[in-house]
Structure formats: structure tokens, C-alpha cells
Amino acid sequence: DAALCTQRSGFVPHGLYGCPLPIEESVSPYYLRLQVADRPGVLAQVAQILGDHEVGFLPLVLRESTEECASLFLMLHDAKFGVVQKAVEMMQDLECVRTDPILMRVEELL
């Protein structure tokens, strides 16, 4: 229904393709970068939050930036944006996270 689509997204899509999903429901892989304290157990804390939200990940790199801080790079598996956003908000509250996380949606071009 065009009226429902307009309420969700602010525009009327072509009838052939139907309604776009609300952004919170869109599914995609994501890239996540965290600046964290360089100490044991930090990756476990991040992994626990992602696991609680049923978001899988592939750790790309844990690179020491300074003696006290490290950059943690993760590739998150396909997940709903709303779920990933909630998990990242929880990570921001961790004592070991030093700066705001950087989250980017990954587009797969065919």
C-alpha cells in the first residue's frame, strides 16, 4: 500500500518493487572499529555483547596504538541495523572503550 510506504520512508516507491524496509530492519554486514584499553578480556566483553544480540563477527585486527590503547577492527556478519545499533550503544558504555565506535554498513556489489 503506497500510503503505508509513504509513512515509513517519506516517498512512494515504484509499485513493482514494493515498500522499502525501515532502516532498523535492513540486513547487511557491517564494519566496526573500536578504540579500546589494551588489556586482557576486552575482546571477550565485546564478543559477549555481540553474542547477546546474536550478531556474529570476524575479528580482523587488534592493533596496539599506544601502550594503553588498541584499535579493534571487526567485520560483523549479516544483521539487522537496529540490533547492531543497540549492541554498539552497549559497547559505548563499557569502561574499556576509549572513543565512540565507528560503524559502517558494507555494501556488496555484484
Side-chain angles (χ1 to χ4, degrees):
D1 178 74
L4 181 58
C5 289
T6 303
Q7 291 173 346
R8 286 187 182 169
S9 63
F11 70 94
V12 179
H14 188 280
L16 178 64
Y17 301 110
C19 293
L21 287 173
I23 188 68
E24 295 81 18
E25 295 295 314
S26 66
V27 175
S28 177
Y30 296 89
Y31 164 86
L32 176 63
R33 187 183 123 220
L34 299 166
Q35 290 290 100
V36 296
D38 189 13
R39 64 172 185 250
V42 170
L43 181 57
Q45 290 178 327
V46 171
Q48 181 68 49
I49 290 172
L50 291 171
D52 289 347
H53 287 84
E54 298 183 8
V55 176
F57 70 96
L58 174 65
L60 298 176
V61 176
L62 178 59
R63 186 182 71 194
E64 186 176 319
S65 300
T66 67
E67 291 181 16
E68 301 160 358
C69 194
S71 296
L72 177 59
F73 302 94
L74 303 173
M75 194 70 193
L76 307 184
H77 296 194
D78 285 355
K80 290 183 179 180
F81 178 71
V83 173
V84 172
Q85 191 174 35
K86 287 178 185 174
V88 170
E89 287 171 2
M90 288 182 72
M91 288 176 206
Q92 286 178 303
D93 293 336
L94 293 174
E95 183 271 331
C96 62
V97 174
R98 300 293 187 226
T99 61
D100 288 339
I102 295 174
L103 179 68
M104 291 188 283
R105 180 179 175 171
V106 175
E107 288 290 332
E108 296 176 349
L109 302 175
L110 302 176

